[in-house]
Amino acid sequence: MKTTLAALTLCLVLLLATGFPFEKKGALQAGGAKEKRAQYAARDDVNIIAHGLLQLGQNLKEHVDKTKVQMRDIFTKLKAFNRTTAELGRESQRLQAEGETLKARALEMEHREGQLLNITAELKEKAEEIQQERRTMSERMSRLERRVDSMLQGHMNSGFSNSSDAGNIQLLLEAQNRRIDDLVERIRLQQDKLDKQNTRIRTLQIQLSRQRPSFSSTDGPSESSVEEQRDSPLEMAADCHELFLQGETISGVYTIQPDNSEPFSVFCEITADGGWTVIQRRQDGSVDFDQLWEAYEKGFGSLNGEFWLGLENIHAVAKRGGYILNIKLSDWGDDIASVQLPFQLGGIETNYSLQIQESDTFGTLESSLGTDAILGLPFTTRDQDNDSKANINCAKHLSGGWWFSNCGRSNLNGRYFQSPPPKQRHQRKQGIFWKTWRGRYYPLKSSTMMIAPFVIKKS
């Protein structure tokens, strides 16, 4: 562009130089006067000059337009740069505020850790006091036994001449037994408190290890702390109660991995005392529970809605033993009932037989399942009949899969009926029922089945 403008300018200068009139001096006759003649540029030269000027103006205009565009681009980039600078300033302020917050949390965590250490020291002192009390009680019992033996020996030698002495000994023994029972009860209560405190301490320790922030010299997380967290991940929990012990406090969907099992997702019901692994939920009829054996074995439904966890997964969690089955029921008046039964669940070789721990007397609610399952109830679906009813498949006769005995006491996997239920009894008996609560022909509104280690009942 600059080369073109220079060439045009030079051309114009030359044309102007040749186009303007000039004086031509010539030799005249002697004594003659000098004559001045004016010469002008030709028309073609003028046209060339005009065309060059026009071309020069157009080029100058294009150059000015391009310069304006370039200036606008520069201003746009400057505005974007200014905005970016302002955003970086705000982000820097936000990060600085977060750094102050993290520092405050670190101080709070240190304070809580100090409290935890104090609680641990107090618990150790209490444990030592309990041990000392046990030793004292043992010594007192030994002295009492020796005293009773000597008294009995003396009375035996004297032939029990005074019958009132035997009565006094009996009263003394009974009083001493009561004192022993009181001491044992006090020790049991103290042990329960220690167990709860130990659970809270483990929870606090896990929370501290998760939440403790670490700072480098620039108030940011250090690379070494990140690598340390990656190199030492928490072991995956075997059930929801272990998640509770690891510090989880919110109910929801988690991933667990029982012993000798692949990881799978579960819904955990987290309470103040522990974590329950939910194995079944009925609430709105959105899932069809009239499924075949394979579906009941693998599981179906949505963990955030209605679902059956799967016999394989239930067995994987509970196969260690020492688990309790918690069943919650509700009717259409929003009344609630709860049943808790210690249980064991066999594997596929037993058709996932449910065995309820034998009890001297089952309550009314517990009897709908507990009485029949003392010796074990295998699971039944409409394509695999394992119930106790001769010539009838209870899953076909009713609906869904369940630990059926003779079809008539309970079935929480039956058809879901909205209120009001069907008028025909042969339809209502296919619903969700618990005979000893609302009767054989009352379809319930909801049911939830959960399992947890039996220790949760002592919490």
Side-chain angles (χ1 to χ4, degrees):
M1 180 65 186
K2 291 182 180 179
T3 304
T4 304
L5 290 174
L8 287 173
T9 305
L10 180 61
C11 181
L12 288 173
V13 171
L14 292 174
L15 288 172
L16 290 172
T18 57
F20 285 105
F22 62 91
E23 295 180 352
K24 181 177 181 183
K25 297 179 180 180
L28 299 176
Q29 295 292 333
K34 294 180 181 180
E35 183 181 358
K36 294 181 181 180
R37 296 176 60 185
Q39 293 184 358
Y40 298 91
R43 183 179 297 276
D44 293 339
D45 295 335
V46 173
N47 289 336
I48 291 173
I49 293 171
H51 181 74
L53 290 172
L54 179 61
Q55 187 68 32
L56 178 61
Q58 290 178 350
N59 290 335
L60 287 173
K61 183 177 181 300
E62 291 178 358
H63 180 69
V64 170
D65 292 339
K66 290 183 179 179
T67 303
K68 287 181 178 180
V69 172
Q70 292 175 354
M71 291 297 293
R72 283 197 297 270
D73 292 340
I74 291 172
F75 285 132
T76 302
K77 291 179 180 178
L78 283 174
K79 289 181 181 179
F81 176 77
N82 291 335
R83 285 196 299 270
T84 304
T85 304
E87 290 176 357
L88 288 175
R90 289 192 294 270
E91 184 68 16
S92 176
Q93 292 177 355
R94 186 184 66 81
L95 291 175
Q96 185 176 1
E98 288 184 356
E100 295 297 330
T101 303
L102 288 174
K103 286 182 179 179
R105 289 182 63 187
L107 293 175
E108 182 183 356
M109 290 298 105
E110 291 178 359
H111 178 65
R112 292 179 65 183
E113 186 174 12
Q115 292 179 338
L116 180 61
L117 293 175
N118 293 335
I119 293 174
T120 304
E122 292 177 0
L123 288 176
K124 288 182 179 179
E125 292 178 359
K126 289 183 178 179
E128 292 176 357
E129 291 177 359
I130 290 175
Q131 293 294 335
Q132 182 62 34
E133 192 172 0
R134 285 182 176 177
R135 288 192 292 269
T136 303
M137 184 183 69
S138 178
E139 293 174 358
R140 293 179 64 182
M141 290 179 65
S142 299
R143 289 197 300 269
L144 176 63
E145 289 176 354
R146 289 193 297 269
R147 183 178 175 185
V148 171
D149 289 340
S150 62
M151 291 176 65
L152 289 175
Q153 186 66 32
H155 282 285
M156 289 177 64
N157 294 334
S158 62
F160 288 99
S161 58
N162 190 350
S163 61
S164 63
D165 291 341
N168 292 332
I169 293 174
Q170 185 66 30
L171 292 175
L172 180 62
L173 288 174
E174 291 176 356
Q176 205 62 30
N177 286 333
R178 285 194 297 270
R179 293 184 63 186
I180 292 172
D181 292 339
D182 291 339
L183 286 173
V184 171
E185 180 64 21
R186 287 178 60 189
I187 292 173
R188 187 188 67 80
L189 293 175
Q190 289 291 338
Q191 189 64 44
D192 289 342
K193 290 180 180 179
L194 283 174
D195 292 339
K196 290 182 179 180
Q197 289 291 345
N198 287 330
T199 300
R200 293 191 180 97
I201 288 173
R202 287 196 300 271
T203 302
L204 285 172
Q205 288 174 337
I206 293 171
Q207 289 177 347
L208 285 172
S209 64
R210 284 184 172 182
Q211 298 179 5
R212 182 191 302 277
S214 58
F215 299 95
S216 64
S217 59
T218 58
D219 291 340
S222 63
E223 294 181 359
S224 60
S225 65
V226 175
E227 292 298 328
E228 182 179 355
Q229 292 174 5
R230 291 175 181 172
D231 293 340
S232 57
L234 290 174
E235 184 179 355
M236 189 171 292
D239 60 13
C240 291
H241 189 62
E242 285 192 9
L243 284 170
F244 168 80
L245 295 178
Q246 291 179 3
E248 298 295 345
T249 58
I250 300 175
S251 299
V253 178
Y254 295 89
T255 300
I256 64 172
Q257 185 177 16
D259 296 339
N260 302 320
S261 173
E262 294 295 324
F264 56 89
S265 297
V266 296
F267 189 93
C268 294
E269 187 74 25
I270 306 297
T271 67
D273 298 323
W276 292 87
T277 305
V278 182
I279 65 171
Q280 183 253 33
R281 185 191 292 126
R282 308 293 304 278
Q283 60 187 17
D284 54 20
S286 58
V287 175
D288 182 11
F289 272 66
D290 191 16
Q291 302 283 341
L292 300 179
W293 177 267
E294 184 177 1
Y296 270 100
E297 189 174 32
K298 302 297 182 184
F300 54 86
S302 170
L303 290 175
N304 288 311
E306 291 194 333
F307 70 92
W308 174 260
L309 185 59
L311 293 166
E312 280 186 353
N313 293 336
I314 300 172
H315 174 254
V317 175
K319 64 186 177 183
R320 293 180 296 177
Y323 272 72
I324 186 169
L325 173 63
N326 185 7
I327 301 174
K328 293 185 177 180
L329 310 170
S330 70
D331 61 15
W332 292 95
D334 291 329
D335 289 333
I336 297 174
S338 180
V339 179
Q340 292 191 356
L341 297 166
F343 79 101
Q344 290 183 344
L345 186 68
I348 180 60
E349 67 280 358
T350 67
N351 292 319
Y352 300 104
S353 179
L354 175 70
Q355 184 174 9
I356 301 300
Q357 182 177 325
E358 186 172 0
S359 176
D360 296 335
T361 56
F362 282 112
T364 302
L365 286 175
E366 291 80 2
S367 63
S368 283
L369 183 61
T371 302
D372 296 327
I374 291 178
L375 299 179
L377 286 177
F379 200 83
T380 292
T381 58
R382 56 188 171 92
D383 63 331
Q384 188 158 331
D385 185 5
N386 298 313
D387 57 55
S388 304
K389 190 76 169 178
N391 302 323
I392 292 179
N393 183 328
C394 294
K396 281 185 179 180
H397 181 63
L398 302 176
S399 181
W402 189 248
W403 293 282
F404 291 108
S405 55
N406 290 315
C407 303
R409 290 182 178 269
S410 63
N411 179 18
L412 299 184
N413 290 334
R415 293 177 60 188
Y416 191 93
F417 292 115
Q418 300 285 349
S419 182
K423 295 183 179 180
Q424 292 78 12
R425 293 183 64 183
H426 72 278
Q427 289 182 335
R428 294 204 305 273
K429 72 181 181 181
Q430 295 181 342
I432 306 170
F433 71 90
W434 194 266
K435 183 176 180 180
T436 55
W437 188 43
R438 288 293 180 260
R440 175 71 177 78
Y441 298 98
Y442 184 98
L444 298 175
K445 180 180 180 180
S446 68
S447 70
T448 304
M449 300 173 64
M450 307 178 291
I451 61 174
F454 190 80
V455 68
I456 197 173
K457 195 172 183 181
K458 299 179 180 180
S459 300

